Amino acid sequence: MSQRLRPEQRVWLAAGLFTLVGWMLQAWRLHSLAATMDQGILFQVLWNGLSGHPFESTLSSQLSTNVVHGGELPAIGYHRLGQHFTPTLALWIPLVALLGKWALPMLQVALIAAAGLVLHRLALRRLTPDLAAILTLAFYGANAVIGPALGNFTDLSQLPLCVFVLLLGLLERRLWLTLPAALLLPLIREDTGVVLVGIGIWLLVRQRSRWPLALALVAWGGGWVVLVTNVLMPLFSQDNARRFMVENFGQYLQGQDQASSLQTAALVLRQPLTLLQELVSPPRDTLLYLAGQGLPLLFIPWIALDSWLLMGLPLLGLLLAQGSNNPLSINIRYTYLVVPGLFAGATLWWERHQPLFASRRLRRLWAGCILLSLLFTLGSNPNRSLSWLIPDSVQPWVYRSPWQQWQHAQSAHAALARIPAAASVSANTPLIPHLAARQVLMRYPDHTSYQDRQGQAHAVDWIAVDLDYQQRYAAAFPQEQKALKRSLRQLRSSQAQGYAVQQLSDGVVILERNGPINPANQQALDQLLRQAKEG
């Protein structure tokens, strides 16, 4: 069938399938309680914008240095801009008002699908239709593209589209494309200006006559990163210096408990041996990451100067970083810092080597690499989006059929419906995305109290816990086992603090502070707690 379609039709078919399947998997992932805290954070950030408080989030406040290091309570009025400076997110506040909790996962898939179509337009102006088509199909079949698209919404999902639009504008000398894309790109996140610096360097090397524009891009991108991380973000909180620099680049800080981005960069450059060691450490993860990124493109980016110029700087940042969220995981958001440069650079490489594509063997090999990339993506169960098909763990066995997942989700949603829309809530991870349309929401069991805008402490009105989720994963995942034990302890103490069970359904527990006491519900919870402890 595909041979009867024109190259452009194959691209549009791939884009349509990517969007449709992506939307279906994201809808299933959200409904079946597989989405997690990050999804809730960004939804709460934008939902608060509807009431005139954009970028505020009590969920983000839980992760702030004031809470983590200072022992304070999470606070209403905390601005996430101190953790990640993401002004372009405000563009999507109207969409959140229109679609609610479904807005962000659907938006993410649409942004990535649109990025592939712009990449095709970029390639079609320089390559034969068949070559431009297979390069775009490689984009839609790349693990580094699919994996994050099926995860929690990330601000970086805006980046590939913006980069491809900017490169299209630069190569076709269209100011109406170049100017807005160049202005917006550093505003996506505090570190995306580095991507713009790479584009400026590429332009300076490849089109030297346009050096004023190249230097302007470098100055805007690099200058914005310095300004944001050292001046603007500290206006909101000290999280960048005390948390993110320490967590991601603590190996260079020589015992310091805080450092600005400029101080961190200086310390990195003073330790060349440590720098070289981090570039290849850990060797297995580094090689697998580079192989996974290059596979759908026949590994062409690793021999293409344009790719290295465009994505070298963000890739360097990932290789030098550490952290609880492995920056070299191909299924999480950081890959979007690298993906645009890889594919744009490969496009420009093929422009100078098009005769090679005449080889039928090479075309078959490339198709096989794309298929292999898709198979690897399927087998990795990215962000548990395929848990209805792929077990979450083989040894020990952790799997639930789609019907079991659906039934549990229905029970959970029915239980959550008891909680009033404006009530303050503490909920555990799988329930957070479904409760984020409120001013006060925190992750359980970390906190059950918060500060109001005047600094007064309050206990939350409701507690919602999916013990079934934690029990299911505790056998295979140590972090879930720890979370289960903490939840069991906290539930016992919460009852002593005046929280009464209002509903218990399929392991989902709903408690209300000073709520009516139902002996049958209380007895059911006591039995569930005993079973969970014994299990």
Side-chain angles (χ1 to χ4, degrees), residues 123 125-129 131-132 347 349-359:
R125 296 301 180 93
R126 278 152 189 82
L127 309 175
T128 64
L131 181 49
T347 300
W349 186 90
W350 276 107
E351 184 179 11
R352 293 183 291 274
H353 300 85
Q354 292 196 61
L356 293 176
F357 191 67
S359 168

Side-chain angles (χ1 to χ4, degrees), residues 143-383:
N143 193 344
V145 172
I146 299 172
L150 297 180
N152 295 325
F153 179 80
T154 169
D155 31 41
L156 290 177
S157 62
Q158 304 165 100
L159 186 61
L161 177 61
C162 195
V163 170
F164 291 146
V165 169
L166 174 57
L167 291 172
L168 183 64
L170 288 171
L171 290 169
E172 297 188 358
R173 297 178 181 266
R174 297 188 179 187
L175 187 62
W176 65 275
L177 289 176
T178 301
L179 188 58
L183 290 175
L184 286 174
L185 199 153
L187 305 181
I188 291 174
R189 212 171 84 149
E190 71 278 358
D191 52 356
T192 52
V194 173
V195 178
L196 188 60
V197 172
I199 293 173
I201 293 172
W202 164 79
L203 188 64
L204 187 64
V205 172
R206 288 305 197 187
Q207 299 182 27
R208 294 181 183 177
S209 62
R210 303 175 73 183
W211 64 266
L213 177 57
L215 293 180
L217 295 177
V218 171
W220 166 231
W224 182 254
V225 170
V226 172
L227 176 67
V228 166
T229 56
N230 293 276
V231 178
L232 298 183
M233 292 176 71
L235 296 176
F236 297 96
S237 71
Q238 295 300 313
D239 289 310
N240 190 55
R242 294 192 61 193
R243 268 205 60 212
F244 294 103
M245 288 296 108
V246 175
E247 292 174 5
N248 294 329
F249 301 102
Q251 67 271 40
Y252 307 102
L253 300 187
Q254 301 175 336
Q256 297 183 37
D257 61 358
Q258 62 179 329
S260 69
S261 61
L262 287 176
Q263 291 170 330
T264 301
L267 287 169
V268 170
L269 294 176
R270 290 176 194 167
Q271 302 172 72
L273 293 181
T274 304
L275 187 153
L276 291 174
Q277 180 181 354
E278 289 293 330
L279 281 177
V280 296
S281 179
R284 179 179 177 275
D285 289 352
T286 302
L287 288 174
L288 286 176
Y289 180 78
L290 296 177
Q293 287 278 20
L295 177 62
L297 287 168
L298 272 177
F299 304 102
I300 292 300
W302 307 130
I303 62 171
L305 176 61
D306 294 284
S307 288
W308 284 106
L309 291 172
L310 289 168
M311 59 79 191
L313 286 177
L315 178 61
L316 178 65
L318 297 182
L319 293 176
L320 295 181
Q322 57 180 11
S324 56
N325 288 326
N326 181 8
L328 295 183
S329 171
I330 204 166
N331 283 323
I332 63 175
R333 57 190 177 273
Y334 303 116
T335 64
Y336 287 153
L337 290 164
V338 177
V339 160
L342 285 175
F343 279 85
T347 300
L348 297 170
W349 186 90
W350 276 107
E351 184 179 11
R352 293 183 291 274
H353 300 85
Q354 292 196 61
L356 293 176
F357 191 67
S359 168
R360 178 177 298 179
R361 181 176 298 177
L362 183 140
R363 294 197 301 271
R364 289 177 175 174
L365 178 62
W366 195 348
C369 286
I370 296 173
L371 178 59
L372 194 58
S373 178
L374 284 169
L375 291 175
F376 283 147
T377 305
L378 180 68
S380 69
N381 185 14
N383 299 290

